[in-house]
Amino acid sequence: MAETDYWLELEYRVCRELRGFADDRIRSLWCDGFIPEETDVRAPDACVRGRAWIGDDSGSQEQWTFTLLVGDSRSEDEIDWSSLLPADDTTGWLVPDPAAKKLTMDPLSATPE
């Protein structure tokens, strides 16, 4: 999977995952896209950081920050994008924080539902 395809697929996957939360406030959220800004494969937890457009049922949208953990990649070219797209029957990989307006995603930690 190409990186450009990954971000679009992740947008839709995040929307589906948000709908599965028990908290009504989180369940009303949806994602309208990602803007990756920095890839840091030298960090203790290699990641991509950037901004995400998050909307709610009222129709408003705001920019949140996001961190996507990418595993043991040694360079940007080694990131296996397809392995970072959680299957629909998994959960536990997305941590939304509405107060901080932040998403943390660890797709390699996804567990079966």
Side-chain angles (χ1 to χ4, degrees), residues 46-62:
C47 65
V48 177
R49 295 182 197 93
R51 292 174 285 148
W53 283 102
I54 302 297
D56 63 27
D57 286 345
S58 74
S60 67
Q61 289 189 34
E62 30 185 26

Side-chain angles (χ1 to χ4, degrees), residues 10-36:
L10 183 63
E11 172 187 334
Y12 298 130
R13 182 62 187 94
V14 166
C15 288
R16 292 190 301 273
E17 188 72 8
L18 289 168
R19 285 194 303 263
F21 276 80
D23 183 328
D24 287 339
R25 187 175 55 154
I26 293 174
R27 200 171 42 242
S28 73
L29 300 175
W30 46 276
C31 181
D32 195 27
F34 289 97
I35 304 166

Side-chain angles (χ1 to χ4, degrees), residues 38-94:
E38 175 189 14
T39 302
D40 187 356
V41 294
R42 289 185 170 82
D45 292 317
C47 65
V48 177
R49 295 182 197 93
R51 292 174 285 148
W53 283 102
I54 302 297
D56 63 27
D57 286 345
S58 74
S60 67
Q61 289 189 34
E62 30 185 26
Q63 282 192 10
W64 287 26
T65 60
F66 77 83
T67 301
L68 171 70
L69 301 178
V70 297
D72 294 330
S73 303
R74 292 182 195 91
S75 73
E76 288 183 54
D77 294 335
E78 287 186 18
I79 296 173
D80 181 3
W81 295 105
S82 60
S83 74
L84 298 175
L85 189 64
D88 280 338
D89 62 351
T90 63
T91 192
W93 56 271
L94 175 65

